[in-house]
Amino acid sequence: MKSNEISRRRFIGTLAAATTGVAVSGITPVFGNSRDTSDKLALLGGIPVRGNKKWQTWPQWDAEKFNPKMNEVMGNRVWSRSRKVAEFEKKWAEMHGSKHCLTTVNGTNALSAAWMQSNIGPGDEVICSPYTFSASIFGILYKGAMPVFADIDPETFQIDPKQIRKKITPRTKGILPVHICGYPSDMPEIMKIAKEHNLFVVEDACQAHLAEIGGKRVGTFGNAGCFSFQASKNLPIGEGGGILTDDTEYFDRLYSYHNFGYASGSVSGQISSISALILANKIRMAEYQAVIGLCQLEKLEEQHKIRNENGAYLNEKLAAYPGITPVKLHKGATAASYYIYSMVYNQDKLDGLPRQRFIEALSAEGVPVGTGYPNDPLYGQPMMREVFKSEIYQKVYTADELDFEKYKQKNHCPSLIKTYGSALWIWNGGLMLGTKSDMDDIINAVDKIHNNVAKLK
Ligand SMILES: *Cc1c(COP(=O)(O)O)cnc(C)c1O
């Protein structure tokens, strides 16, 4: 049988599927109880649902259109921060209805700068989402503050506001929500808590370009919102970062910080041209980075629309399969960035089939899928032990507070651990920009596995 015959047979017609659900591919889905044995799983030697079709590559670059723009800035030899960077910042701020945008060399440094110029310091606590990686919290540790982890909602993967409330102490000074996988965290609830307790909020929106809550884009709710323009992200520059804020004085400090501590706006004083006014860094975006960013920006809104149409389609269709549950957008969330299309794997609904086996089977059908972050929570990583041994932490905190085993126990997040063991990440920059028929391939691959579970065991 040729692969196009299979895909025709399995194809879930958009129109029919809209009214009758998933059982329109000529198959009676008897989940977890293989009856449809005609299509051999690719893992077991059958023909992959995807055949040899490729997903869109990522990052994308229209050489004919964009090379002249790149050549212009290379040719005029203004390569360090200048007009192009300012133009990119203006556009990014405008797209968000934000007063200011400051670009940086990457997202990690955007986050670190945001914390460095915040009012948190040694002895303070910052409540963090645990479903992320080290880059989210470096800045908190540079400041000598203590990360405190509040568990996630296992249905949305986002930090749970109810868990944040439980972690508030008189020492709490900040909150770090991470819009993980590009789905919005519950910012209205989080900002309510922040207002009640006068907390500084830095949003890690590094995966969440243009995600929205009630039409307001993430990165604009907290005191600062940080973005990454790393090559895999939805606005890929290769390396690049941005910070949004409405606070002009804070912005001036961020600007000065990213530029050797030189004067900027309200950061002023007795200066020569090389007089540093604040303890700083140099993390400026280059002109050619900004040109790449400006080129990518031309397509971003349109791509965002496609990703959300595809996301909504997958959410609706995949909901019918008991073995997986698409990650939910919390009430109020009006758009995700779908940087990673995420699901929860329900092993018990697929007759105990291990997640790894499901991943192998889905990958073999041509759908790039993985587990996401491994079971290695930030609060247990060697970095934390190292930080606790540092002079500043030794001076500021008690031996009890720096007891690493106690710290791990105190910060243990059961829903996080459960999610490490059950998450499925469909992850490939260009995949969510595909056609309806590309999305149908994903649905058909999931369908095929559901109907052949017994053979995988
Ligand atoms: C990518 C990312 C970062 C870091 O951004 P870089 O540009 O790679 O430095 C931080 N937090 C999250 C959640 C990310 O996905």
Side-chain angles (χ1 to χ4, degrees):
M1 219 185 325
K2 291 205 300 281
S3 72
N4 61 348
E5 280 166 4
I6 285 185
S7 59
R8 242 203 318 279
R9 206 176 87 58
R10 251 188 203 284
F11 179 73
I12 296 174
T14 310
L15 251 183
T19 51
T20 57
V22 293
V24 295
S25 54
I27 301 159
T28 310
V30 185
F31 304 120
N33 175 9
S34 171
R35 188 174 294 170
D36 173 42
T37 54
S38 54
D39 286 3
K40 199 171 184 184
L41 289 167
L43 187 64
L44 304 176
I47 295 161
V49 167
R50 272 304 271 175
N52 43 26
K53 282 177 279 174
K54 297 268 187 291
W55 301 100
Q56 288 193 29
T57 52
W58 199 258
Q60 301 182 346
W61 183 254
D62 180 344
E64 206 177 317
K65 191 165 167 208
F66 296 148
N67 280 4
K69 297 182 192 222
M70 201 62 182
N71 291 340
E72 185 195 320
V73 75
M74 296 316 288
N76 69 21
R77 280 169 286 112
V78 180
W79 294 353
S80 270
R81 189 194 157 102
S82 184
R83 271 194 215 136
K84 293 294 178 191
V85 173
E87 186 185 336
F88 179 85
E89 289 171 340
K90 185 161 176 280
K91 286 202 166 141
W92 194 245
E94 276 172 7
M95 281 173 75
H96 288 82
S98 221
K99 245 192 209 158
H100 306 284
C101 169
L102 180 76
T103 51
T104 59
V105 288
N106 54 38
T108 305
N109 277 281
L111 284 156
S112 291
W115 287 116
M116 288 304 283
Q117 294 311 315
S118 75
N119 60 353
I120 69 146
D124 294 338
E125 293 173 354
V126 178
I127 300 177
C128 306
S129 172
Y131 199 35
T132 181
F133 71 115
S134 57
S136 297
I137 67 163
F138 285 141
I140 295 164
L141 299 170
Y142 292 151
K143 292 298 288 279
M146 186 62 83
V148 170
F149 294 90
D151 209 352
I152 57 169
D153 174 340
E155 293 194 333
T156 64
F157 288 5
Q158 308 303 315
I159 191 169
D160 181 348
K162 289 192 294 293
Q163 301 296 331
I164 294 177
R165 283 195 186 276
K166 286 188 198 161
K167 298 281 176 148
I168 301 265
T169 74
R171 285 160 71 180
T172 309
K173 284 286 172 61
I175 309 180
L176 170 78
V178 182
H179 306 288
I180 206 68
C181 300
Y183 297 70
S185 300
D186 190 352
M187 291 313 299
E189 267 313 301
I190 292 169
M191 293 314 294
K192 213 161 101 193
I193 299 170
K195 294 230 162 62
E196 280 170 34
H197 298 275
N198 193 25
L199 308 177
F200 195 90
V201 177
V202 175
E203 291 173 68
D204 182 339
C206 285
Q207 300 185 354
H209 309 76
L210 308 194
E212 289 180 8
I213 300 161
K216 185 172 161 65
R217 287 186 163 155
V218 305
T220 64
F221 289 85
N223 299 75
C226 298
F227 292 87
S228 166
F229 308 126
Q230 185 267 340
S232 75
K233 306 292 163 84
N234 285 3
L235 195 147
I237 291 180
E239 294 291 342
I243 310 167
L244 294 177
T245 183
D246 284 338
D247 179 340
T248 301
E249 217 167 293
Y250 177 61
F251 172 77
D252 290 340
R253 288 188 67 86
L254 286 170
Y255 194 102
S256 175
Y257 176 83
H258 105 306
N259 187 33
F260 302 116
Y262 291 171
S264 174
S266 53
V267 179
S268 62
Q270 272 284 319
I271 53 161
S272 69
S273 62
I274 57 158
S275 172
L277 299 169
I278 63 172
L279 178 62
N281 206 327
K282 191 221 191 186
I283 51 171
R284 301 183 318 211
M285 183 180 268
E287 284 289 271
Y288 43 83
Q289 283 176 286
V291 171
I292 298 174
L294 285 165
C295 292
Q296 301 292 345
L297 265 188
E298 290 181 20
K299 309 175 290 182
L300 187 63
E301 295 273 11
E302 177 58 26
Q303 291 172 333
H304 177 65
K305 222 176 119 227
I306 296 169
R307 285 191 177 99
N308 273 275
E309 283 163 8
N310 282 335
Y313 185 67
L314 289 177
N315 289 345
E316 187 203 329
K317 299 296 171 220
L318 291 175
Y321 294 91
I324 52 162
T325 307
V327 159
K328 290 190 174 58
L329 277 83
H330 67 81
K331 62 174 180 352
T334 38
S337 82
Y338 291 107
Y339 167 60
I340 296 162
Y341 185 82
S342 324
M343 308 182 287
V344 178
Y345 183 62
N346 308 315
Q347 181 165 352
D348 54 333
K349 302 273 175 57
L350 277 185
D351 220 6
L353 183 77
R355 177 179 60 160
Q356 196 50 42
R357 194 75 178 141
F358 181 88
I359 286 173
E360 285 164 14
L362 194 53
S363 304
E365 300 299 337
V367 178
V369 62
T371 60
Y373 296 130
N375 183 351
D376 186 16
L378 272 173
Y379 49 79
Q381 292 185 9
M383 162 178 81
M384 294 303 303
R385 192 198 298 272
E386 189 69 19
V387 165
F388 283 6
K389 282 190 203 148
S390 69
E391 208 174 334
I392 174 163
Y393 279 73
Q394 292 283 333
K395 273 187 183 150
V396 172
Y397 298 96
T398 65
D400 195 54
E401 285 164 338
L402 298 182
D403 182 321
F404 195 52
E405 290 310 313
K406 276 191 190 161
Y407 177 78
K408 282 195 282 189
Q409 277 166 27
K410 234 169 91 182
N411 284 281
H412 174 63
C413 295
S415 293
L416 172 77
I417 304 299
K418 198 171 142 241
T419 298
Y420 282 144
S422 61
L424 293 171
W425 286 12
I426 293 181
W427 191 19
N428 159 348
L431 178 140
M432 291 298 286
L433 297 175
T435 60
K436 272 270 150 39
S437 142
D438 288 328
M439 299 304 113
D440 284 331
D441 284 343
I442 298 172
I443 298 159
N444 284 333
V446 169
D447 183 275
K448 194 176 174 187
I449 296 171
H450 271 74
N451 286 298
N452 288 281
V453 170
K455 296 212 185 67
L456 279 170
K457 298 201 67 189

